[in-house]
Amino acid sequence: MNNTKKTTKRKKIGEDSTLNEYERQRLENIRRNEEVLMQLNIPEIVRSVNLKKLKAPQKRVYKVQWPSEPTRHSLRLRGFTPDGTNVKREAVKKEKRRAREKRVRFNADIIRSELESIDVVDNNNDFVDLLSKMTKFSNNENISDEIDYNCIPGGVNGFKTVQKIYSSLSIVTDWSTVSVTPDRIYCIAVHPSKEKVLAAAGDKNGCLGFWDVRENIKSEYEEDQPRTYAFQAHTGTITSAMYSPTDSNHLYTCSYDGSIRSFDFNQAKFMETFIYSEAEDSEYLLSSMDMDPNGQIIYLSTNHGQFGIKDIREPAEKFTEYKLHQNKIGCISINKIHPQYLVTSSKDKSMRLWDIRKLNTEPEIQNIRFDAAVTSAYWSPIGNQVVSTSFDHILRVFDFNEECNLKLRHEIPHNNKTGWVTMFRATWHPNPNMHPHFIIGDMLKAAEIFSGVDGELIWTLRDEGVKTIPAVNAFHPNLNLIVGGSSSGKMCAFEEMPESSQLERIKSMPQPVVVINNYNH
């Protein structure tokens, strides 16, 4: 057999008449490239290279250094024998106790000379002078107890009248907002005096601040500045503040430090009204309080569901305690007309009605369930309605009927997701002779006022100078004035403009230019 090598013979360019000009040009280029490769001996070089030895370049990997976990300290290193869960709890309690040693609760009355001023501009003598003026104005400034029941439910002033009042309110002070406390404001109390407007605010760290709304004070540089005073009244968050219903010279405050104090305007002194001293390492966090119409009994609640009754005429440690909820009681309110009825709102998504005369037997009258935690529930000043605030973004108004039950009257959608802002709480106007209405903060840096009769929005208080959310708001009992407080410790006041200021504003307005056209006939 003849071993013959098969070779592919290309047709010469132009031999195939079916090729067009482009294909013939392409084949010519291929032939030329093959000749060049053969002259350079490229095919032999390619065959001699071992492709398996060639490795692709590796990409550089950057390792992320995550933060290391905190060092774990065993119970044995901390001086405990790890023999059960109870030992762990004791270790945690011991650590909490050490942390609280840095912030010891005041265990006695704080006299004037021991008042710890927080504001650098404060002058104790000037503050005492302010208090002496307030005691003169406080003789007959409480809200009148005379209630015209014929005005229920519309009130002496109707919806339109109240709307006209609040539409005339504005910020007339030299500053839109005034810093009163160093930290977040949790509660506000307004003195009932008509001659001098004094607002008090309690903040997160136990500071009690005062603001003389209508008067300024000279600084060391002879400049006008707000007349504010701030003192360390408690060592924990001040959750509630209210004046005595019978003596406006006493301001009561309750705090997370487990105590209730009364600030006496006559003596410029913080007096110890209640203190929980059963166990040093236990936390008795007071979340809310209220007083009976006679001003002798204080009702209190805690973050653990306890309810207490304290007679202020008895020693500070003596009180009666009951367990009403399994979770935090955020707010309590006593009916001012029928003080035997108590309403509580809790983190356990319930609002409950109680008869405090039957606390030792079966005190619960009604249990109303919500879809989320209930932050507050307050009786109206005439005791015929309750307004509640909840994290389900609904304000609810209930009627108190003859069967001593709460019946839902209105549901008002409202954004109550405050986040880092102090929780919203709808509160009634304390004057019983007005159209029933309540106020609540708004996330759009405003405060909204709603009617308790039909649930309609009466007015929205807003000012361009207020850059923070007035989460906490309070009515002046005897004046058309509203004070708001924010999470930055600042306060604002909406009030009617004085007649003299109105005249000055009208005079300062540019005069209209009148153009008279003379026509020649």
Side-chain angles (χ1 to χ4, degrees):
M1 287 179 66
N2 294 331
N3 295 329
T4 58
K5 188 177 180 180
K6 293 183 179 180
T7 57
T8 22
K9 295 183 179 180
R10 292 184 183 274
K11 293 183 179 181
K12 292 182 180 180
I13 307 265
E15 290 183 357
D16 192 350
S17 59
T18 61
L19 296 177
N20 55 26
E21 183 64 26
Y22 170 77
E23 291 177 345
R24 286 195 295 268
Q25 185 66 31
R26 186 179 68 84
L27 293 174
E28 180 64 24
N29 290 338
I30 292 174
R31 186 186 64 79
R32 289 177 183 175
N33 292 337
E34 288 178 351
E35 291 179 356
V36 173
L37 292 175
M38 293 300 294
Q39 292 176 2
L40 297 175
N41 202 18
I42 295 298
E44 295 295 333
I45 296 175
V46 173
R47 281 193 294 268
S48 63
V49 175
N50 188 0
L51 298 177
K52 292 182 180 181
K53 294 182 179 181
L54 297 179
K55 295 182 179 179
Q58 295 182 355
K59 295 182 179 179
R60 188 174 178 180
V61 180
Y62 294 91
K63 295 183 179 180
V64 180
Q65 295 183 355
W66 298 100
S68 58
E69 295 183 358
T71 306
R72 297 183 180 181
H73 298 285
S74 65
L75 294 174
R76 190 176 286 104
L77 293 177
R78 288 185 282 176
F80 296 96
T81 304
D83 55 355
T85 56
N86 293 332
V87 180
K88 295 181 181 180
R89 292 173 185 167
E90 291 297 328
V92 173
K93 286 183 179 180
K94 187 175 181 180
E95 291 177 356
K96 289 183 178 180
R97 198 181 306 120
R98 288 175 180 172
R100 287 199 301 271
E101 287 177 357
K102 301 178 182 178
R103 198 171 177 82
V104 183
R105 179 177 60 193
F106 303 135
N107 290 324
D109 296 344
I110 308 174
I111 60 177
R112 182 171 60 194
S113 59
E114 297 175 350
L115 282 177
E116 183 181 349
S117 175
I118 295 178
D119 196 343
V120 218
V121 188
D122 280 355
N123 186 333
N124 280 345
N125 295 328
D126 183 64
F127 181 63
V128 172
D129 178 61
L130 170 64
L131 295 180
S132 64
K133 293 180 181 179
M134 297 304 300
T135 54
K136 296 178 182 178
F137 299 147
S138 301
N139 293 330
N140 298 309
E141 292 293 351
N142 292 326
I143 304 173
S144 174
D145 294 332
E146 297 180 1
I147 300 176
D148 182 10
Y149 287 95
N150 295 324
C151 72
I152 301 172
V156 175
N157 299 320
F159 181 95
K160 293 183 179 180
T161 306
V162 175
Q163 189 177 53
K164 184 179 179 181
I165 291 175
Y166 292 118
S167 63
S168 65
L169 301 188
S170 61
I171 294 181
V172 301
T173 54
D174 296 336
W175 300 270
S176 298
T177 56
V178 174
S179 295
V180 180
T181 62
D183 215 313
R184 177 193 302 188
I185 293 177
Y186 271 71
C187 58
I188 293 177
V190 184
H191 195 277
S193 171
K194 295 179 181 179
E195 284 76 10
K196 182 172 285 294
V197 179
L198 182 66
D203 79 347
K204 181 180 179 181
N205 291 323
C207 168
L208 182 64
F210 294 91
W211 176 30
D212 190 349
V213 177
R214 292 178 175 174
E215 284 196 20
N216 300 333
I217 192 174
K218 293 289 184 181
S219 67
E220 55 182 346
Y221 303 106
E222 296 300 322
E223 296 178 353
D224 286 339
Q225 65 179 19
R227 194 179 188 184
T228 60
Y229 309 90
F231 302 98
Q232 193 69 45
H234 293 269
T235 58
T237 302
I238 300 179
T239 54
S240 295
M242 62 182 303
Y243 286 93
S244 170
T246 56
D247 185 4
S248 56
N249 286 326
H250 286 85
L251 174 63
Y252 290 89
T253 56
C254 73
S255 169
Y256 277 169
D257 62 7
S259 68
I260 296 178
R261 290 187 174 274
S262 167
F263 183 71
D264 189 350
F265 281 38
N266 295 306
Q267 306 179 45
K269 177 181 178 181
F270 286 98
M271 296 185 298
E272 198 173 67
T273 304
F274 167 78
I275 183 171
Y276 186 77
S277 58
E278 204 163 295
E280 295 181 359
D281 60 342
S282 64
E283 294 184 355
Y284 205 77
L285 307 178
L286 299 182
S287 57
S288 179
M289 73 171 181
D290 201 358
M291 299 188 73
D292 72 325
N294 298 323
Q296 301 294 333
I297 306 296
I298 294 180
Y299 303 97
L300 54 95
S301 63
T302 73
N303 277 12
H304 303 288
Q306 286 94 351
F307 170 75
I309 302 178
K310 167 64 186 169
D311 191 333
I312 62 175
R313 296 163 293 186
E314 295 179 346
E317 297 84 3
K318 187 177 180 181
F319 78 112
T320 310
E321 181 183 10
Y322 303 92
K323 183 75 172 180
L324 298 187
H325 289 262
Q326 296 300 321
N327 214 321
K328 172 184 176 180
I329 300 178
C331 178
I332 60 174
S333 180
I334 288 289
N335 192 310
K336 298 299 183 290
I337 307 301
H338 308 286
Q340 67 270 24
Y341 295 116
L342 165 76
V343 64
T344 60
S345 59
S346 173
K347 193 178 178 181
D348 61 8
K349 304 180 183 181
S350 71
M351 182 185 74
R352 304 187 187 187
L353 178 63
W354 309 85
D355 188 343
I356 59 176
R357 299 171 299 182
K358 304 177 182 179
L359 287 174
N360 294 321
T361 55
E362 295 182 0
E364 184 176 320
I365 300 176
Q366 194 174 4
N367 185 350
I368 302 174
R369 304 298 300 178
F370 289 70
D371 295 331
V374 190
T375 56
S376 69
Y378 290 103
W379 286 102
S380 64
I382 56 178
N384 67 333
Q385 286 183 310
V386 170
V387 59
S388 67
T389 312
S390 173
F391 279 144
D392 60 3
H393 307 302
I394 296 177
L395 305 178
R396 294 175 175 85
V397 179
F398 297 86
D399 287 334
F400 188 56
N401 55 29
E402 296 178 355
E403 289 78 20
C404 297
N405 284 322
L406 295 174
K407 184 179 180 181
L408 182 63
R409 181 185 182 97
H410 298 295
E411 287 188 346
I412 307 170
H414 190 271
N415 180 15
N416 298 326
K417 188 177 181 181
T418 55
W420 53 268
V421 180
T422 306
M423 291 184 299
F424 291 156
R425 293 183 175 184
T427 53
W428 295 94
H429 194 293
N431 193 337
N433 295 318
M434 293 187 70
H435 177 91
H437 57 282
F438 53 88
I439 189 171
I440 188 171
D442 184 72
M443 291 301 290
L444 299 178
K445 300 177 183 178
E448 294 180 327
I449 303 173
F450 292 92
S451 169
V453 178
D454 51 15
E456 294 294 326
L457 177 66
I458 296 178
W459 196 254
T460 300
L461 294 173
R462 182 181 286 109
D463 189 89
E464 295 180 355
V466 179
K467 306 299 182 183
T468 54
I469 301 171
V472 185
N473 298 276
F475 292 99
H476 191 290
N478 300 307
L479 296 176
N480 295 327
L481 186 144
I482 296 173
V483 178
S486 68
S487 295
S488 59
K490 295 183 178 181
M491 300 181 72
C492 59
F494 293 88
E495 56 181 319
E496 291 179 322
M497 183 176 293
E499 295 182 2
S500 58
S501 301
Q502 292 181 10
L503 292 175
E504 290 177 2
R505 189 177 66 173
I506 294 174
K507 291 179 181 179
S508 63
M509 294 176 62
Q511 297 297 325
V513 179
V514 180
V515 179
I516 301 177
N517 295 323
N518 295 323
Y519 295 96
N520 296 323
H521 296 282

